[in-house]
Amino acid sequence: MTAPRAGRTVPTLPVSRDGTLTRAVMLSAALELIDRDGADGLSMRRLARELGRDPMTLYRHAPNKAALLEAVAETVLAGLEVSPTDPDWASQLREVARQYRRLALAPPNVVPLLVTLPLSTPLALRPLGVLRPLEDIVELLMRAGFSGADALHIYRALFGFLHGHVLNELQELVENPDETDDLLRLGLHRLPIAEFPRLRSLAPVLASYDGGAELERGLDILLAGLGTMAPSGRPASERAGGAGTKRRGN
């Protein structure tokens, strides 16, 4: 399995017109380093070397590595567009999930950062760009008639699923790509037959893993369950549209 990637390059002119390093270029270079070597391979000193600058110039834009990593996560999530006025909340959540997968897997080494960052920083101390998707999704769901508490629950369920999905998608499934037998390609032949009969029998399914299709199937299951929490029995698009229209008229 190969995760989708998008080409990323450090800009060739890492300075502004007056010769100072810009925050945008510093973050682009940091993302490039993380994409290549992972978050553990990033340091202020190494990033300065990549940019050909004195390390002290970086501290004007980020006081330490933790702040730098938060800013990188904010940069990645800036590409996540949520339309809180979409009349169909379920379709909008599906589109958000597709976008998140593309953004996270374009530089796959940033995935652990996106997943673990919320665990290390209190909500109110996170960058505003990291909080924006939460605000917009809660707005989307409350327009659809969900309570604030339910909207938060749905957000957590969605992103809990997404985080697990992108981590799963990054797992290397094929051990011996030159083998023609799926059991051998995945290395599952080493598992004792008596102890793992089901897993061995699923070798063809595991070998044909498709991240995009897996995401859609997971969303089908998740959204079907969330639909049971909806404020009324009307279709999702009608429920969200009615609530949104009412709120906009206030």
Side-chain angles (χ1 to χ4, degrees):
M1 179 273 301
T2 301
R5 298 177 62 92
R8 294 180 181 271
T9 57
V10 178
T12 57
L13 296 175
V15 293
S16 64
R17 289 184 178 180
D18 64 0
T20 59
L21 177 70
T22 66
R23 176 179 171 86
V25 169
M26 182 189 74
L27 294 178
S28 177
L31 184 55
E32 181 77 8
L33 260 177
I34 293 173
D35 191 20
R36 190 167 70 234
D37 302 321
D40 290 340
L42 176 68
S43 68
M44 302 295 274
R45 185 172 297 278
R46 186 174 181 194
L47 179 58
R49 285 201 306 269
E50 288 284 317
L51 291 166
R53 313 291 290 187
D54 185 289
M56 296 306 296
T57 62
L58 274 60
Y59 290 98
R60 299 171 186 168
H61 303 293
N64 49 48
K65 179 179 175 180
L68 179 61
L69 291 175
E70 287 185 342
V72 169
E74 187 176 27
T75 298
V76 173
L77 290 177
L80 187 62
E81 298 180 1
V82 183
S83 177
T85 60
D86 190 330
D88 189 336
W89 63 268
S91 293
Q92 180 61 205
L93 291 186
R94 187 181 291 273
E95 178 55 31
V96 167
R98 292 167 178 166
Q99 287 184 54
Y100 185 86
R101 173 179 174 264
R102 289 194 297 268
L103 289 170
L105 295 179
N109 279 334
V110 84
V111 168
L113 174 62
L114 296 178
V115 172
T116 60
L117 180 65
L119 302 178
S120 60
T121 309
L123 185 68
L125 298 181
R126 296 172 198 169
L128 296 184
V130 172
L131 292 175
R132 182 57 55 190
L134 170 57
E135 174 71 17
D136 288 344
I137 288 174
V138 168
E139 173 72 6
L140 168 75
L141 294 169
M142 291 186 71
R143 280 176 174 267
F146 290 94
S147 69
D150 280 346
L152 280 173
H153 179 79
I154 292 171
Y155 172 88
R156 290 166 180 156
L158 175 66
F159 276 83
F161 163 70
L162 288 175
H163 290 161
H165 173 83
V166 293
L167 287 173
N168 282 336
E169 191 162 353
L170 289 178
Q171 293 179 14
E172 182 57 55
L173 298 178
V174 176
E175 181 183 75
N176 300 305
D178 293 332
E179 292 285 354
T180 57
D181 182 271
D182 291 330
L183 199 68
L184 297 177
R185 290 180 68 223
L186 299 176
L188 295 179
H189 60 287
R190 297 189 181 89
L191 299 180
I193 297 178
E195 296 181 40
F196 298 94
R198 300 295 189 188
L199 194 55
R200 287 174 58 110
S201 69
L202 287 172
V205 179
L206 291 168
S208 61
Y209 179 86
D210 181 323
E214 192 77 10
L215 177 75
E216 297 298 328
R217 177 58 178 151
L219 287 171
D220 288 343
I221 297 169
L222 178 64
L223 292 174
L226 294 178
T228 65
M229 298 172 55
S232 78
R234 300 196 309 276
S237 58
E238 293 181 15
R239 289 191 301 267
T245 300
K246 181 177 179 180
R247 177 164 178 169
R248 286 192 295 273
N250 291 341

